[in-house]
Amino acid sequence: MLLGNGDGTFADTVNYAVGSCPVSVFAADLDGDGDIDLATANLDSDNVSVLLNNGDGTFAAQVTYAVGINPHSLFASDLDSDGDLDLAVANKGHDNVSVLLNDGDGTFADSVNYTVGDGPYSVFASDLDGDGNLDLATANAGSDNVSLLLNNGDGTFADSVNYAAGDAPWSVFASDLDGDGDLDLATANVESDNVSVLLNENAGCEYVTGDVNGSDSYNGLDITYGVNFFKGGNEPMCPYGSCPIPPCDVFFYCGDVNGSCNYNGLDITYGVAYFKGGPDPIPCGDCPPPETVAISESISRMK
């Protein structure tokens, strides 16, 4: 630890014991007291060390928490949206990520492991699907890809989805690289001497409840289309079981005004009531299923 003197020079080093072979360190306020604490990923002891700040730039003795085999990187962020910072650890020897949720005082619950690609060297937390929850991405040096784990909203994660990158990606970073409002990914690839850029194609699929004719809006014409359909006319223009922004595995029912997750005559009744001054169309709620992220194929840029 080198404390700054305020002029770009530093006091003498002060060392603090941690686990065996620390390869990554992260600074964040882990106990919520306004001071910045430290956490390290310890490669050979298969744990993380947490050092809480005494408030003056000195640190209490480490507290260790078991994780997977050969932790190589860690990231602190609020993964369960409870206001404190949790830890995510990439374990390169175990092909998984350990998530340690903060109990609120800088102590942590037992780790929960999630499988990713081979040899994850780096982990990064960011909101990749635009739902307000922080997701995880890992750079997997052994399988030449990136794993995405979408947050279920409570600090647990869906199964990983993998996207190809360059040869032996060691680091991953999320940022809005194309200026479209969602977060993209960049990886540094050790063996191919390049950077892979993976653009986020959409933050989940969007649709307009009650839009029967595929106009991306809900208006009186949709009632006409619906009535014609139930009189034996053409099916609603917007196809069932598909998404307006492919590729995506989310489904929806065009014309579903009442949120029943299907399209039937009752939707016309709801639509008519709405246009007579009734309540707004009922949101579809849990239909479609939870949002997904679609990532374009990586583009490798030579150094």
Side-chain angles (χ1 to χ4, degrees):
M1 182 66 56
L2 295 88
L3 297 181
N5 294 319
D7 58 0
T9 63
F10 293 85
D12 291 340
T13 302
V14 179
N15 295 324
Y16 294 89
V18 293
S20 178
C21 192
V23 291
S24 178
V25 62
F26 202 101
D29 184 7
L30 299 175
D31 56 1
D33 65 354
D35 304 314
I36 302 300
D37 311 301
L38 297 175
T40 66
N42 307 315
L43 185 73
D44 288 346
S45 51
D46 302 333
N47 59 13
V48 297
S49 296
V50 173
L51 299 92
L52 297 182
N53 196 322
N54 294 320
D56 57 0
T58 64
F59 291 83
Q62 65 168 328
V63 177
T64 59
Y65 298 88
V67 293
I69 297 175
N70 299 143
H72 196 268
S73 172
L74 81 167
F75 200 101
S77 59
D78 187 3
L79 299 176
D80 55 2
S81 301
D82 65 352
D84 49 43
L85 298 180
D86 312 298
L87 296 175
V89 184
N91 306 306
K92 76 181 185 72
H94 225 169
D95 302 336
N96 62 16
V97 168
S98 295
V99 173
L100 300 91
L101 297 182
N102 196 325
D103 291 328
D105 57 359
T107 63
F108 293 84
D110 291 341
S111 62
V112 178
N113 296 328
Y114 297 88
T115 301
V116 293
D118 297 341
Y121 267 61
S122 177
V123 61
F124 198 96
S126 58
D127 184 8
L128 296 171
D129 58 1
D131 65 354
N133 303 308
L134 296 179
D135 312 299
L136 297 175
T138 65
N140 309 315
S143 49
D144 301 334
N145 60 12
V146 173
S147 294
L148 267 60
L149 298 95
L150 297 184
N151 196 322
N152 294 320
D154 57 0
T156 64
F157 293 84
D159 291 341
S160 64
V161 178
N162 297 326
Y163 297 89
D167 295 340
W170 273 35
S171 178
V172 61
F173 197 95
S175 182
D176 186 5
L177 299 175
D178 54 3
D180 65 352
D182 51 40
L183 296 179
D184 313 297
L185 296 175
T187 67
N189 309 310
V190 170
E191 293 185 4
S192 51
D193 297 332
N194 59 17
V195 169
S196 294
V197 173
L198 299 89
L199 298 181
N200 194 330
E201 293 184 337
N202 59 279
C205 293
E206 298 179 356
Y207 70 100
V208 179
T209 303
D211 179 21
V212 182
N213 66 341
S215 64
D216 293 327
S217 65
Y218 179 47
N219 52 48
L221 191 59
D222 291 297
I223 297 176
T224 301
Y225 273 85
V227 171
N228 287 340
F229 171 58
F230 283 104
K231 283 185 176 181
N234 295 329
E235 291 189 8
M237 293 175 60
C238 198
Y240 290 84
S242 65
C243 220
I245 312 175
C248 184
D249 61 4
V250 173
F251 70 88
F252 68 97
Y253 289 92
C254 289
D256 179 22
V257 183
N258 67 339
S260 63
C261 296
N262 60 40
Y263 179 48
N264 53 45
L266 190 60
D267 292 297
I268 297 175
T269 302
Y270 273 84
V272 171
Y274 169 62
F275 283 105
K276 284 185 175 180
D280 290 349
I282 299 173
C284 206
D286 291 335
C287 179
E291 292 172 328
T292 63
V293 166
I295 299 288
S296 65
E297 294 184 2
S298 64
I299 304 170
S300 294
R301 304 294 188 190
M302 299 302 295
K303 292 194 297 185

